[in-house]
Every structure is written in structure tokens, then in C-alpha cells.
Amino acid sequence: MQKSWILSIICISIISIIFGWVRHADAQGEQEALQLLNTVKPYMTSENQITFKYTGYYSTCSGINQNLLQVGKKLSQAFGTPQAEVLSESNSHPIYTAKSEVAPGAVVTVTVASPLGQAACYVVLRLDASDEAEQSELVNWQEQAGEQLKRLGINGQWNVMVQGYVNEQEQSGQKSSTELVNAIALAFKGKIVESYKDQKTVSASLASKEFHSSVKSGSQTVNLQVAMHQESTTGKFRLTVGTPIITMEY
């Protein structure tokens, strides 16, 4: 039941971003990424995973594979990934995907899809980085990618996430998962507007004036999401934080 709930939330989050939660990127994106990373860093071990993801619409695909391939190749060239010569498949639908390592521990992926019933191509530009990567290099990449996205006229939104294990100092403080999530919310100067809890997972959606990026969840404005999950096998607490929401499994 717990796993199904988590997967459902992820699906809802992704669909919501695709169909109506998109906002224009702006110069504050890099500042928000730095604020997110620097604020959550004291709570995590050094072994963490950072994801920068930009989603938006571009050009015309109209469900035509050749259009999808041409747009994918153009975006691969724009963002420095090798061009794929054939389409791949995801959930029985053709997609274009190409990836490249841009720095030690940092991989960029360009993905293009053609949503059913829509003319425009749906684009995902993603950078996945391990703790090997320099934080300054990641933020510089986001800034340069943002400039390229503007030149191409791709209007969308950045989604920045970091995931890692809670450090021993925080765990030894004998705080419950809920208390720790509340402490992180306070560090982000956020007000909890939605929350979920079960035996292994605590999740909170925050409204915070510190972040410009936002999504609407019902009548609530959400700028940030914090989730903590205790692994059944190791007993470790895995912390995931994302702005404006988390769109990865936690």
C-alpha cells in the first residue's frame, strides 16, 4: 500500500507538471538551486544525488516519428550530447533520448516525446549528478542551459531535487521523522500546507516565500517538498527534497 501511494504521488506530480503547472524560467532558478542545496546539506551525508530537470514544450512533433527524431537531434546539438540515430521506446511510445557525461559524476540527458493529441514536442532536459560533482559546476551548467533554453524559446520550469541519507548527527539526536521534517521545513522558512505519514514515510509540502518556483495543488501553492523514508532492509533514513515538488521515487 505504501509503495503504491508513493508511485501514485509521483505519477500525479509528473502529469501535473506536464499539463498545466509549467511556469517560465527566470534568473532566480540558479539562486533557488543553491539555496536548496546549501540548506539541506547539513542534514545529509556527503553521498547524495542531485537532479536538475527542465520540462517544457518545443517545436512540432504531432506524433510523427521523423519530426521527433529531427527535434531530438537539434536539441542534442544545442546541449552537447551525441545525436541518437534512432528512437527508443517508453511505455510502448516512441521517444528520443540521448545522454552524455559533462563532468565527473554528472550526466546530461535530453529526452523528447510527442504527447497524444498535442502538436508540440514535450522536452525534458536533465542533469543527474553524484557527490563527485562540484556544486559550483552544476549551478553553472544550469545557468548556461537556462540561457540556451531561452534562445530556443522553450518555456518551462526547473525542478531541482537532492536525495541522500540523513547523517549520523541528526539520527543520534533522537528526533522522530516528523520532527526532523518539521525542522527542515523551518530551515527553509516554510509553512507546511500538505502532509502525509505512514509507518515508514513522512512527506510535507511547503509554502515558502524564499522560493519563486511554485505549483498549485488544489487551492494550495507549493514551493518545496520534503520527504523522509526509512528503508526496511537497512533501517537508514533517506531524505529527498525538491523544488517546487519531488518527481522522483523516495
Side-chain angles (χ1 to χ4, degrees), residues 15-23 57 216:
I15 291 169
S16 299
I17 285 180
I18 295 174
F19 299 106
W21 281 3
V22 218
R23 293 182 49 172
Y57 291 98
K216 277 289 186 181

Side-chain angles (χ1 to χ4, degrees), residues 30-50:
E30 296 81 34
Q31 297 175 8
E32 292 187 357
L34 272 174
Q35 186 171 358
L36 172 68
L37 298 174
N38 290 334
T39 303
V40 78
K41 189 181 294 184
Y43 298 92
M44 285 184 179
T45 66
S46 58
E47 297 177 359
N48 50 58
Q49 183 77 21
I50 300 168

Side-chain angles (χ1 to χ4, degrees), residues 9-22 122 157 215-217 245:
I9 290 297
I10 294 168
C11 291
I12 290 170
S13 298
I14 294 171
I15 291 169
S16 299
I17 285 180
I18 295 174
F19 299 106
W21 281 3
V22 218
Y122 179 65
Q157 182 178 25
V215 297
K216 277 289 186 181
S217 179
I245 54 172

Side-chain angles (χ1 to χ4, degrees), residues 105-121:
V107 174
V108 170
T109 305
V110 174
T111 303
V112 185
S114 184
L116 187 65
Q118 295 194 29
C121 312

